[in-house]
Amino acid sequence: MAYFLLLISLSVDGGTEKEILQALDEAAAEGSWGYVPLSGPYIDVHHSGNVTARLGATAILNCRILYIVGKTVSWMRARDLHLLTVGRFTYTSDDRFRAVHQSGSQDWLLKIHYIQVNDAGPYECQVSTTPPMTHTVWLSIVEPETTVLGGPDLHINSGSAVNLTCLVKYSPEPPPYIFWYHDGQLLSYDEDGSDIQVVTSHGQDTTSQLLIHRAIGKDSGEYTCSPATAPSYSVNVHVISSESPAAIHHKNTTSTSSALASPGTPLEVLLLLAFVPFLVSDGGHLLVDALTRSKA
């Protein structure tokens, strides 16, 4: 009885004393069935565990009470000792909180809609025994998270495909759209003949893949994945240009010229280099034989 008076004497920001007494009477009437062990009611902690919820989603905290005959279950926010529910009655003016219990069930639920960051922390389930039996359930909040796999820097060979995969986690709902930006400019990939393709897959985690079929130098830069319901994430793409055939030819020519200009090059070698085009002919073979005999 003292416990009941304590509940009634607490400051009320929703409901009346009559409604609380009615909730207590309902709990007592519901608990009049079943076998009560000598040890009395107890809390099944294995089915009353901690909860992790996404920001903006709905969290459901459970307190499972066995052999609760004639007792009442209440939920209280531990950080400020704010009474939230008594039995089936929601005892707060914040309409995001709701007491949920089905007749005959052993589970007493606290449902919190539209989770906010400051909702995180301990919540206390109380059973009106003497002294009161308590159990703490911790609520953790996870915020939406965006990442691009393989970042923050990607190095791609020129002419190769670029595949950027953006992963969105812990969003209250799948983002309705995901935009991609290149150096701050919105990418357009719906145009006919575009070398860019985007494929988005929705689920518990949402993925968006940006594919550039043949990367060239101008494709280098910062790429940003920007979901509607999560923060943006950027990576830097570096397209590496390989040597062109003209550059390779120029390098070989330079090497040959250096050999000809070298003061230590034997006369036979100089003559051989001068008549390289003739080496593929019979006359060329005769020239090589002549040079070989001369050196002997």
Side-chain angles (χ1 to χ4, degrees), residues 76-223:
M76 179 179 293
R77 187 167 54 206
R79 74 165 185 265
D80 55 4
L81 299 180
H82 184 80
L83 186 63
L84 300 172
T85 70
V86 177
R88 294 195 187 95
F89 177 66
T90 302
Y91 194 67
T92 176
S93 60
D94 189 339
D95 57 8
R96 296 183 305 117
F97 292 84
R98 182 186 174 194
V100 178
H101 176 72
Q102 294 182 350
S103 180
S105 171
Q106 298 172 323
D107 297 320
W108 299 79
L109 309 179
L110 173 64
K111 183 178 287 189
I112 310 173
H113 297 279
Y114 308 110
I115 286 292
Q116 302 172 1
V117 173
N118 61 1
D119 290 325
Y123 291 79
E124 194 170 272
C125 168
Q126 295 185 354
V127 184
S128 61
T129 55
T130 304
M133 182 182 301
T134 63
H135 174 69
T136 300
V137 176
W138 283 84
L139 173 62
S140 300
I141 309 298
V142 290
E143 300 187 48
E145 176 183 305
T146 306
T147 186
V148 176
L149 305 183
D153 289 279
L154 297 171
H155 295 81
I156 307 295
N157 289 326
S158 178
S160 300
V162 178
N163 189 349
L164 302 180
T165 300
C166 179
L167 179 63
V168 182
K169 302 175 65 177
Y170 311 129
S171 179
E173 58 185 15
Y177 60 84
I178 297 178
F179 289 148
W180 283 92
Y181 294 85
H182 179 210
D183 289 337
Q185 297 295 320
L186 179 65
L187 285 174
S188 178
Y189 39 83
D190 294 329
E191 298 177 356
D192 294 337
S194 175
D195 201 37
I196 301 175
Q197 181 182 3
V198 171
V199 178
T200 301
S201 176
H202 296 286
Q204 182 175 0
D205 296 332
T206 299
T207 59
S208 179
Q209 290 183 301
L210 172 67
L211 178 64
I212 303 175
H213 296 285
R214 291 175 299 276
I216 58 178
K218 70 179 183 64
D219 293 321
S220 295
E222 182 185 67
Y223 286 81

Side-chain angles (χ1 to χ4, degrees), residues 2-86:
Y3 179 68
F4 295 169
L5 293 176
L6 174 63
L7 292 177
I8 297 172
S9 63
L10 291 174
S11 60
V12 178
D13 64 354
T16 64
E17 178 179 334
K18 179 179 179 181
E19 289 172 322
I20 295 177
L21 292 175
Q22 180 181 355
L24 296 175
D25 290 340
E26 288 178 358
E30 181 181 332
S32 63
W33 57 272
Y35 166 72
V36 183
L38 294 178
S39 60
Y42 70 91
I43 299 174
D44 183 354
V45 296
H46 296 291
H47 293 87
S48 309
N50 298 331
V51 174
T52 299
R54 302 183 182 196
L55 184 68
T58 298
I60 300 177
L61 283 60
N62 185 38
C63 190
R64 178 170 292 186
I65 314 296
L66 305 182
Y67 311 116
I68 195 177
V69 177
K71 306 301 179 184
T72 304
V73 178
S74 304
W75 279 99
M76 179 179 293
R77 187 167 54 206
R79 74 165 185 265
D80 55 4
L81 299 180
H82 184 80
L83 186 63
L84 300 172
T85 70
V86 177

